[in-house]
Amino acid sequence: MVVDDCCISHKDMLMIKQQKKYPLVLWMAVLGLIMISAVYICSICIKQRGFLVTSNLVKVKANKQRCYDPSIPQSELQYLHYPQPTTYSREECACTPVRFFAILSMQRSGSGWFETLLNSHANISSNGEIFSVKERRSNISSITNTLDKIYNLDWYSSASKNECTAAVGLKWMLNQGFMKHHEEIIEYFNKKGVFAIFLFRRNLLRRLVSILANSHDRDAKQLNGTHKAHVHSKDEADILASYKPTINTTSLIHELRHTDKLGADSLAYVNSSRHIMLYYEDLVNNRTMLMDVLEFLKLPKQKLFSRHVKIHKKPLSEQIENWDAVYTALKGSQLAIQHHCWINFDPLIITRFLPEVPCAVVYSAVNHSNLCSKFMNSGVRFLFLVSCFSARIMTVYF
């Protein structure tokens, strides 16, 4: 009996109690409470974020009112900005208005040299070729977020002037997302009051030589095993200029026309925005035109300088390996270059076609808007140069 009682007692101890079942209604009530709590927490976060955004907008408006200058014309107010960087304080320059700009150009068109000139100004910060990094131009959101950071003075580069910057911008190649997203970008420019500075080359053949030479040095690394797109000494320039590229004459005319059309299309897109048009050759020959740029940006005029040294200075006939083939390809072409006042190759080529026309006359017709007509009998139909300041078109028939 004792043994049986022990066994029964042991069985009772090992018996597992059944789990208590909760009704379905209780589970639904708990789930509903969790969902209500989550919605409440999210609403608080959204309100706080909205408050922060509203607070920042109020601060910006208050800062504009505090910095308001009645002497500034009403039409200029949309181009004046008072950024509040997140990484530092503008301090005593908080009421110095900042203008936004973008240098729109193509590779090997003098934009690097031009940007160093602008950055030599005490109040200009041009932050380089920002959109050369593909991730920054992968979509329009990436582009506008990058621009917002630049124009809020939160983009750090060696060109940053920080507190007393009066004009901030970047160098932007047309093939780095600008043409692809031009509609959204122009809308952004108009909304933010961005100044567009176009810089092109009149002589597209020289630009092509520079592109091919730069591409060659990227692989050859002729300067002590390093590639340099720009140089600061004559010796380095001479080494890079010693390479004479061979140009594909089959696609030459098409490529020159494509480049010219790219520039014309970009100008048409920005027609509704405030912009200025510059040519590299004009700036090289007349440095006083840089003062026009400062006036365009409404900045105090001062002497601008650059350490860049020009690489290709010789005539094209001495810079191109297959010059005779290029000469023949151009001789057999009919070019109509609109919106330009310079032929796509040197006046030396024209005088080679037309030995009776002195080089000075050709230069005069191109540079000084004189009307020059010459009918020839030696294989050339005629040369007709129309005034640059009237029709702004130059047609050359061979």
Side-chain angles (χ1 to χ4, degrees):
M1 289 292 294
V2 176
V3 175
D4 290 341
D5 292 340
C6 290
C7 290
I8 293 171
S9 176
H10 183 64
K11 288 179 181 178
D12 292 339
M13 291 176 64
L14 294 176
M15 188 177 295
I16 300 174
K17 292 184 178 180
Q18 292 184 350
Q19 291 185 351
K20 204 170 187 179
K21 293 184 178 180
Y22 295 97
L24 181 61
V25 176
L26 183 59
W27 281 112
M28 294 289 288
V30 172
L31 183 61
L33 183 62
I34 293 173
M35 292 177 64
I36 293 172
S37 300
V39 171
Y40 177 72
I41 293 172
C42 288
S43 64
I44 292 177
C45 292
I46 292 172
K47 286 181 179 179
Q48 288 180 342
R49 185 174 181 180
F51 174 77
L52 290 174
V53 173
T54 305
S55 177
N56 287 334
L57 290 174
V58 170
K59 286 182 179 179
V60 171
K61 290 181 179 179
N63 193 41
K64 284 187 176 181
Q65 291 177 353
R66 180 171 62 89
C67 300
Y68 175 70
D69 185 352
S71 65
I72 298 175
Q74 191 71 25
S75 60
E76 291 295 318
L77 292 180
Q78 63 172 317
Y79 301 105
L80 302 182
H81 308 275
Y82 302 91
Q84 293 183 317
T86 59
T87 52
Y88 64 91
S89 172
R90 296 189 72 204
E91 298 177 349
E92 71 275 6
C93 293
C95 282
T96 299
V98 178
R99 287 174 172 83
F100 303 158
F101 69 87
I103 303 169
L104 303 174
S105 187
M106 304 183 208
Q107 285 81 357
R108 311 309 295 177
S109 296
S111 59
W113 168 71
F114 177 70
E115 188 177 45
T116 59
L117 287 168
L118 290 187
N119 278 327
S120 69
H121 193 285
N123 305 114
I124 298 179
S125 295
S126 188
N127 292 281
E129 205 169 315
I130 301 296
F131 291 110
S132 61
V133 179
K134 291 183 179 180
E135 289 74 15
R136 297 171 187 161
R137 63 175 195 264
S138 58
N139 53 61
I140 189 60
S141 295
S142 299
I143 291 174
T144 54
N145 289 338
T146 301
L147 291 175
D148 285 342
K149 189 173 181 180
I150 293 170
Y151 293 138
N152 198 49
L153 303 182
D154 280 322
W155 192 277
Y156 178 76
S157 72
S158 58
S160 301
K161 303 294 195 306
N162 293 334
E163 292 87 354
C164 289
T165 294
V168 62
L170 71 156
K171 185 173 68 168
W172 199 343
M173 300 296 105
L174 297 181
N175 62 353
Q176 293 175 351
F178 181 85
M179 300 299 285
K180 182 178 179 181
H181 303 284
H182 67 271
E183 291 182 356
E184 297 91 340
I185 292 169
I186 299 308
E187 183 181 354
Y188 180 96
F189 278 13
N190 290 334
K191 181 180 179 181
K192 297 284 188 177
V194 178
F195 291 67
I197 303 175
F198 283 95
L199 178 65
F200 296 146
R201 290 190 75 154
R202 296 190 187 278
N203 196 318
L204 301 182
L205 187 57
R206 278 196 173 274
R207 174 181 175 269
L208 181 58
V209 169
S210 182
I211 289 174
L212 296 174
N214 185 62
S215 178
H216 168 76
D217 186 68
R218 192 176 287 112
D219 297 325
K221 296 179 175 57
Q222 301 166 92
L223 299 175
N224 298 323
T226 59
H227 167 61
K228 289 187 178 182
H230 308 98
V231 295
H232 297 154
S233 73
K234 182 180 179 301
D235 292 339
E236 290 179 329
D238 290 342
I239 292 173
L240 296 182
S242 64
Y243 171 74
K244 296 167 62 176
T246 299
I247 294 177
N248 183 350
T249 56
T250 304
S251 60
L252 176 59
I253 300 300
H254 171 76
E255 188 167 351
L256 294 179
R257 284 176 175 164
H258 172 74
T259 302
D260 190 72
K261 185 178 184 303
L262 183 65
D265 288 347
S266 65
L267 272 171
Y269 294 152
V270 186
N271 191 44
S272 62
S273 302
R274 180 172 286 194
H275 64 279
I276 186 174
M277 179 69 197
L278 303 170
Y279 287 103
Y280 168 75
E281 290 85 352
D282 297 344
L283 291 174
V284 170
N285 295 326
N286 184 9
R287 293 291 186 92
T288 59
M289 292 185 66
L290 293 171
M291 298 302 106
D292 297 337
V293 179
L294 297 182
E295 184 176 349
F296 172 69
L297 294 173
K298 310 297 182 184
L299 295 176
K301 295 181 180 180
Q302 59 180 250
K303 186 177 180 181
L304 306 179
F305 60 89
S306 172
R307 294 178 56 218
H308 282 206
V309 176
K310 186 175 175 62
I311 297 174
H312 297 98
K313 299 179 181 178
K314 297 179 181 179
L316 283 171
S317 57
E318 299 178 26
Q319 299 275 194
I320 301 173
E321 183 66 32
N322 60 331
W323 168 248
D324 290 337
V326 171
Y327 165 78
T328 302
L330 293 175
K331 182 179 179 181
S333 67
Q334 177 178 317
L335 302 176
I337 304 97
Q338 297 184 1
H339 306 297
H340 286 42
C341 298
W342 190 278
I343 195 166
N344 279 344
F345 36 83
D346 284 346
L348 177 63
I349 304 175
I350 302 177
T351 57
R352 188 170 175 180
F353 291 142
L354 308 173
E356 296 86 345
V357 181
C359 190
V361 173
V362 177
Y363 270 115
S364 176
V366 173
N367 292 336
H368 299 294
S369 70
N370 295 332
L371 189 63
C372 175
S373 300
K374 185 76 176 181
F375 291 88
M376 311 302 299
N377 297 320
S378 56
V380 178
R381 286 160 53 191
F382 63 89
L383 171 68
F384 187 63
L385 299 180
V386 182
S387 168
C388 289
F389 293 95
S390 56
R392 292 191 66 80
I393 180 173
M394 181 172 62
T395 307
V396 181
Y397 295 90
F398 297 119

